[in-house]
Amino acid sequence: MDEPSTPPASDPTIALALGGGGARGLAHIHVIEVLDELGLKPKLIAGSSIGAIMGAAMAAGMRGTDIRQHTLTAISRRGELMNRLWRLRPASLAEAMNGSFGFGQFNIERVLDAFLPDAIPQDFSGLSIPLQVVVTDYYGQTEHVCESGNLRQAIAASAALPAIFRPVRIDGRVMIDGGIYNPVPFDHLSGKADIVIGVDVVGGPEGDGKTLPSRIDSLFGSSQLMMQSIIAMKLKAHPPDIFLRPEVNRFRVMDFLRAQEVLASTAAVRDDLKRAIERRLRT
């Protein structure tokens, strides 16, 4: 099969929405790498959860290959992963008791500090591409879009998966995973670029249709179903110009140690994106 041709000099403007999905969101790396290859730099990025993390890395000027290398070094090697987790241990009994480190829900801000690449700045003002980080206001029962201020705090809130990570306070409000309210925030990019690209890595329950899911699988599977219903309604109302769904169903939300496998299994999205962009350029 011939590779799609490289876009001409008069490239269209691009806006990119990267969705939530935990470890399944490692598939976003393919999308970032393809845009790098084609010389297409988004004028605006929006992200929820893992999409906010990947979007922040791209907005900070990291290339897809850099993000891939950092990811595989930090989380796919068990030894390196354990070293980083070990550094998260409480420095004292007082620290363990005051809630900064817990045995129930983990402090997502501390976890991300141990794993995010140094290239991601502390503040939105340090980004080279404008970024919208979507979080969910727990008591406000709505979404909130962070575009300025403390970037790493916003990313932490957007990735604060309920039951695993503690909520994060932003401006006194209790915030949780942005994917809960807006799994793929392409709606925030409507009309802001010639081509809006949305990437859905939420996935859905996979099995033989007969086996009863475990308690954990049932919990996360039902969340996937609810998020897919939200995505379906948004697609019906106003779809993006390009919408991608990498094959991620076989992976669980915390399958980060399977990073190599996630990347290998979702590589087909690269050609999907190239063909979609080529079609858009022909219209």
Side-chain angles (χ1 to χ4, degrees):
M1 181 182 297
D2 294 335
E3 287 291 319
S5 59
T6 301
S10 57
D11 292 334
T13 56
I14 300 287
L16 178 64
L18 300 176
R24 297 183 289 264
L26 299 179
H28 290 320
I29 292 174
H30 292 302
V31 173
I32 297 171
E33 287 178 333
V34 167
L35 293 178
D36 289 340
E37 291 172 16
L38 298 180
L40 295 174
K41 182 179 179 180
K43 63 178 294 187
L44 178 62
I45 302 171
S48 293
S49 199
I50 185 72
I53 296 173
M54 294 292 176
M58 189 182 195
M62 293 183 71
R63 292 181 60 82
T65 52
D66 299 327
I67 300 171
R68 175 189 290 262
Q69 182 58 46
H70 175 84
T71 300
L72 294 179
T73 298
I75 65 174
S76 72
R77 301 174 185 174
R78 186 175 296 274
E80 177 64 21
L81 177 64
M82 295 309 296
N83 285 337
R84 289 174 184 259
L85 291 175
W86 176 251
R87 293 198 292 269
L88 293 174
R89 72 191 189 281
S92 65
L93 179 61
E95 184 179 350
M97 298 298 290
N98 70 12
S100 62
F101 182 89
F103 295 101
Q105 294 176 303
F106 294 97
N107 186 325
I108 182 64
E109 292 180 83
R110 289 194 60 186
V111 171
L112 289 183
D113 280 342
F115 286 95
L116 288 180
D118 294 336
I120 295 180
Q122 189 66 42
D123 197 274
F124 278 87
S125 62
L127 298 174
S128 58
I129 300 174
L131 174 69
Q132 297 179 340
V133 174
V134 176
V135 302
T136 298
D137 186 326
Y138 183 76
Y139 290 110
Q141 303 176 37
T142 188
E143 67 179 334
H144 176 75
V145 179
C146 301
E147 301 179 86
S148 62
N150 191 323
L151 171 61
R152 289 193 169 220
Q153 183 185 59
I155 294 172
S158 188
L161 186 66
I164 295 179
F165 298 114
R166 288 214 314 263
V168 175
R169 292 186 186 274
I170 295 180
D171 296 331
R173 303 294 300 178
V174 175
M175 304 294 187
I176 62 171
D177 191 337
I180 298 296
Y181 207 93
N182 196 340
V184 191
F186 55 79
D187 49 310
H188 291 292
L189 305 179
S190 180
K192 296 182 179 179
D194 297 323
I195 299 176
V196 175
I197 302 171
V199 188
D200 171 19
V201 292
V202 169
E206 185 174 73
D208 59 12
K210 300 176 182 178
T211 303
L212 292 177
S214 67
R215 178 174 61 88
I216 295 299
D217 285 344
S218 178
L219 173 65
F220 287 117
S222 60
S223 295
Q224 288 175 292
L225 295 175
M226 287 187 289
M227 286 189 279
Q228 287 294 357
S229 70
I230 294 171
I231 294 170
M233 287 189 290
K234 290 181 179 292
L235 286 173
K236 188 174 182 180
H238 198 89
D241 300 293
I242 297 173
F243 190 69
L244 303 169
R245 274 193 168 125
E247 293 292 333
V248 295
N249 285 359
R250 58 186 288 201
F251 301 104
R252 296 181 177 182
V253 69
M254 297 303 290
D255 271 347
F256 288 102
L257 281 173
R258 300 174 67 188
Q260 290 271 22
E261 191 178 346
V262 173
L263 288 169
S265 297
T266 57
V269 75
R270 303 173 71 92
D271 285 339
D272 292 342
L273 177 56
K274 290 176 183 178
R275 284 192 292 267
I277 290 176
E278 186 176 40
R279 284 195 296 270
R280 292 294 305 180
L281 294 177
R282 289 174 176 170
T283 59

